[in-house]
Amino acid sequence: MTTAAVSELLEVNLGPQHPSTHGVFRMQATLDGETIVALKPVVGYLHRNHEQIGEHATYIASFPFTDRLDYFCAMSNNLGLAIAIEKLAGIPVSERGDYLRVIMAELTRLVNHVAVTGFVLNDMGAFGTPLLYAFRERERILDLFEACSGSRMMCNYIRPGGVREDVPEGWLNRARGVVTNFPRFLDEFELLLTDNEIIQQRTRHVGVLPKELAVSASVTGPLLRASGVNYDIRKVDGYSIYPKFPFKVPLGAVGDVYDRYYVRILEMRQSVKILEQALKEIPGGPAISPKGLALVKAPRTFRPPKGDAYGRVEAPKGELGFYLVSDGSPIPYRYHVRAPSFINLTVLEDMCRGQKVADAIIILGSIDIVMGEVDR
Amino acid sequence: MALVGRGVLAGLGVTLTTFFETYPWGRAVLRLMGRQHTNGVVTIEYPDVKQQHAERFRYFPFLVYDKEPDNLRCVACKICEVECPPQCIHIVGPAKDEQGRPLKPKGRPYPVEFDIDVSICMSCRICVDVCPFDAIEMDNNYELSDTDRFGHLVYNKEQLLRPNEYFQQIKPTEASVVDQRLAAKHAKAAAVPPAAGAPPPAPPGPAA
């Protein structure tokens, strides 16, 4: 006599208001016991019409809105739009402006990676400690941002042709201090986390993203590199002055949550190298080219020639692209954002299938999404 | 791995060190052990202790006047109103007489109304960047919360006015640059004799 266990599938909504979902985001999970059979990400709760607003505002007026896309990485977002506008209208960048932009972009990478590492640990159940350690360091860099741009997170600092205004006196020395001390914090952070057996148990071989799937889903950023694909736009495009800096692109082997965590730690170490070199070599001179300055002062007189341009940068989360179509007026005809968070999110179901519910939370955390960018 | 749990213990060592860093006696212990340490507590208790903000810290715009509130620098050209990304500035003006000519009590037009909506402003500083007269600047007062969201969140001209001395006090570096620029502008305007029918030259600028 045998009794077959009767099992039914259970649908569970994780989110949209849930502390583990990183913003207003819903995961419609179908469960067989504890195991995820299917998972549907539901987005759109934070849609703010970013692209439509961009098509009704001048090119410069879109900059403060890009700060609010991925609000952890305002500087990288500014840089992406600035590069697209420079391509569209052929605006030269001043040399010092170029260096300042690279410094800001790399500081942003530190801010983002340190925060996301803390958040993943929070999702794993290590409440508080790693996140607050991470935020303690993040705050030092945000203070630098405040000193140069006037705002910690909504910087609105980088402009086509350079940066809006030069950094204040003594800022570079302060930045050197922060950058010099950063590896010490990274060592401490790694001592706290990397070899921790609980973290290893929770993250190894969890949420594996195969190389082929990652490439075919056009996933970018640390998520792609953790799967072992050597693709970094800083190297591929060599935009701005990145070719001047010798840095390595860290790669993962398995593509699990642990690799994603560790690739980010290694990337931060490379960013520190870039920053040290940039802060050493930064030249004097104007922080913005004359053409760029004219654009800052009078946004409505700027009429780029008819045509289109796609500018992309290696944002901390992946390839951030801005596509602009100009019809010769001061307002773009089409303004499109290729948001890395949104496209990286599309592989969520493939990574979660067959995993436990608790793992889905850390897989989501390890993708590193910001809803402001996913929904736009 | 030689010993399972070594990683956890090492991590606990880090938290313990941080715990020691938080107290003066703990820092003394760390020094005795020959360990480097930071100063521990990085948080402040906000309403009682306030953070020192950077000079460039920006929050909400204000209108600058020289010496007396009537003598504001704004000429109601409405550039900031047009360029403001969230469209939170509302200007009526310039003030006109019966024949429709702009009134110039101080040698230049002035706005009849100048309102900024606190709840819409996103502190981007574009109004300051585009203003050709240095008439609008960013304040660093961030405690603007109010209990009346309909009555008190739209700031009118009187609420936005601040003397140039206030600007010099909160942002000395930026203010000195602006003052020098304005002084040079006025000197240039005074050097060129006004053409027939042209408005009289603007009054002398602030003491730079």
Side-chain angles (χ1 to χ4, degrees):
Chain A
M1 195 178 90
T2 53
T3 327
V6 181
S7 77
E8 267 182 47
L9 295 183
L10 180 71
E11 265 199 25
V12 174
N13 275 312
L14 295 148
Q17 279 87 32
H18 193 264
S20 73
T21 53
H22 295 245
V24 275
F25 170 64
R26 184 152 64 102
M27 291 193 286
Q28 218 171 43
T30 311
L31 305 178
D32 180 7
E34 275 274 312
T35 314
I36 290 173
V37 180
L39 186 140
K40 198 176 137 214
V42 184
V43 299
Y45 294 98
L46 207 63
H47 183 61
R48 314 186 294 295
N49 254 328
H50 176 70
E51 293 178 3
Q52 192 72 54
I53 291 171
E55 286 160 19
H56 285 88
T58 56
Y59 290 88
I60 290 293
S62 284
F63 275 94
F65 289 113
T66 60
D67 290 338
R68 284 139 178 98
L69 279 177
D70 172 359
Y71 36 79
F72 275 111
C73 320
M75 292 280 197
S76 303
N77 301 346
N78 288 174
L79 182 59
L81 182 55
I83 283 180
I85 295 175
E86 281 156 15
K87 266 192 180 174
L88 189 67
I91 298 170
V93 188
S94 76
E95 206 188 345
R96 187 181 172 84
D98 249 339
Y99 270 88
L100 284 174
R101 280 152 62 143
V102 165
I103 290 169
M104 298 306 167
E106 293 308 315
L107 284 175
T108 305
R109 200 177 311 281
L110 296 182
V111 166
N112 180 72
H113 284 0
V114 87
V116 72
T117 316
F119 274 123
V120 172
L121 266 296
N122 220 22
D123 291 344
M124 251 177 251
F127 287 116
T129 308
L131 181 68
L132 290 178
Y133 282 22
F135 268 45
R136 186 186 64 198
E137 285 313 299
R138 173 176 172 263
E139 206 61 33
R140 294 189 215 285
I141 300 174
L142 294 187
D143 281 347
L144 287 177
F145 285 169
E146 187 184 277
C148 73
S149 75
S151 186
R152 290 162 67 247
M153 288 173 79
M154 303 296 130
C155 303
N156 185 20
Y157 186 56
I158 294 171
R159 286 284 184 271
V163 296
R164 199 182 66 217
E165 50 188 334
D166 204 348
V167 290
E169 243 180 87
W171 189 91
L172 290 171
N173 274 332
R174 246 180 95 189
R176 278 179 202 120
V178 171
V179 170
T180 318
N181 283 327
F182 201 82
R184 216 175 73 202
F185 157 73
L186 274 182
D187 293 341
E188 184 195 271
F189 207 51
E190 275 210 65
L191 189 63
L192 179 67
L193 304 172
T194 305
D195 288 332
N196 190 311
E197 285 81 5
I198 303 168
I199 291 172
Q200 302 250 352
Q201 292 262 322
R202 282 298 308 275
T203 56
R204 288 253 191 216
H205 302 286
V206 167
V208 176
L209 179 64
K211 220 178 196 176
E212 296 73 30
L213 178 65
V215 173
S216 59
S218 68
V219 163
T220 46
L223 192 60
L224 178 71
R225 292 193 284 275
S227 295
V229 183
N230 189 352
Y231 183 77
D232 187 318
I233 295 165
R234 288 175 292 174
K235 288 276 188 201
V236 176
D237 272 12
Y239 64 91
S240 196
I241 50 165
Y242 276 110
K244 284 188 188 172
F245 302 101
F247 65 96
K248 295 195 189 87
V249 179
L251 297 176
V254 188
D256 53 8
V257 174
Y258 184 79
D259 277 2
R260 275 168 228 147
Y261 154 74
Y262 206 58
V263 158
R264 289 195 176 102
I265 296 275
L266 293 176
E267 260 184 35
M268 280 196 267
R269 293 196 186 275
Q270 295 300 321
S271 287
V272 169
K273 264 190 195 166
I274 298 176
L275 279 167
E276 278 170 350
Q277 193 189 339
L279 285 166
K280 203 168 74 188
E281 290 176 358
I282 183 166
I288 186 163
S289 62
K291 232 175 156 179
L293 191 64
L295 186 50
V296 170
K297 294 279 174 209
R300 231 155 252 272
T301 58
F302 174 63
R303 293 166 183 272
K306 276 184 192 175
D308 60 343
Y310 179 67
R312 59 178 189 170
V313 292
E314 179 70 33
K317 292 182 168 59
E319 176 184 339
L320 175 69
F322 287 88
Y323 180 62
L324 297 168
V325 180
S326 162
D327 56 357
S329 70
I331 287 160
Y333 174 76
R334 178 80 177 98
Y335 171 93
H336 175 71
V337 186
R338 185 229 188 260
S341 297
F342 177 62
I343 290 163
N344 291 355
L345 195 58
T346 52
V347 288
L348 182 64
E349 183 175 14
D350 299 280
M351 289 197 281
C352 288
R353 210 178 287 129
Q355 309 278 343
K356 301 277 186 271
V357 184
D359 293 336
I361 306 291
I362 60 170
I363 293 168
L364 175 71
S366 74
I367 299 177
D368 185 10
I369 56 160
V370 159
M371 289 320 284
E373 191 177 56
V374 174
D375 291 339
R376 299 195 289 291
Chain B
M1 207 171 292
L3 170 70
V4 175
R6 233 181 66 189
V8 176
L9 288 176
L12 286 175
V14 173
T15 47
L16 193 65
T17 312
T18 312
F19 172 75
F20 272 76
E21 279 177 356
T22 318
Y23 298 97
W25 58 264
R27 292 199 280 274
V29 170
L30 287 174
R31 271 198 297 277
L32 278 179
M33 289 163 69
R35 299 272 291 272
Q36 277 190 314
H37 66 83
T38 56
N39 274 331
V41 186
V42 289
T43 49
I44 51 167
E45 291 182 21
Y46 161 57
D48 302 330
V49 187
K50 280 189 186 169
Q51 202 185 344
Q52 269 291 320
H53 280 289
E55 193 191 319
R56 284 188 186 174
F57 175 69
R58 59 187 148 90
Y59 197 74
F60 191 68
F62 65 90
L63 288 172
V64 191
Y65 67 80
D66 295 316
K67 296 192 181 74
E68 50 196 285
D70 283 351
N71 194 12
L72 74 166
R73 292 178 186 169
C74 178
V75 300
C77 68
K78 299 191 182 176
I79 291 179
C80 54
E81 186 187 24
V82 175
E83 297 295 348
C84 174
Q87 301 280 297
C88 68
I89 304 178
H90 171 73
I91 303 174
V92 174
K96 288 178 178 159
D97 59 11
E98 291 87 32
Q99 279 89 39
R101 285 176 308 214
L103 286 168
K104 293 176 183 174
K106 300 280 175 188
R108 61 189 154 204
Y110 67 94
V112 183
E113 277 178 41
F114 196 114
D115 302 336
I116 304 183
D117 194 331
V118 183
S119 58
I120 295 175
C121 174
M122 61 182 190
S123 317
C124 67
R125 202 181 180 274
I126 281 185
C127 49
V128 181
D129 286 340
V130 298
C131 182
F133 304 97
D134 296 302
I136 191 165
E137 296 292 346
M138 296 303 277
D139 204 343
N140 60 7
N141 174 24
Y142 49 90
E143 292 171 323
L144 300 179
S145 60
D146 210 299
T147 47
D148 182 0
R149 69 181 164 136
F150 296 111
H152 294 167
L153 286 182
V154 176
Y155 282 26
N156 60 22
K157 197 168 86 178
E158 280 66 42
Q159 286 166 297
L160 290 168
L161 281 175
R162 297 276 185 288
N164 192 34
E165 285 71 35
Y166 176 75
F167 181 39
Q168 286 164 341
Q169 185 202 327
I170 60 165
K171 298 186 174 184
T173 322
E174 208 183 320
S176 70
V177 172
V178 169
D179 285 348
Q180 275 169 23
R181 186 162 63 223
L182 285 178
K185 211 164 145 186
H186 291 313
K188 210 172 151 191
V192 180

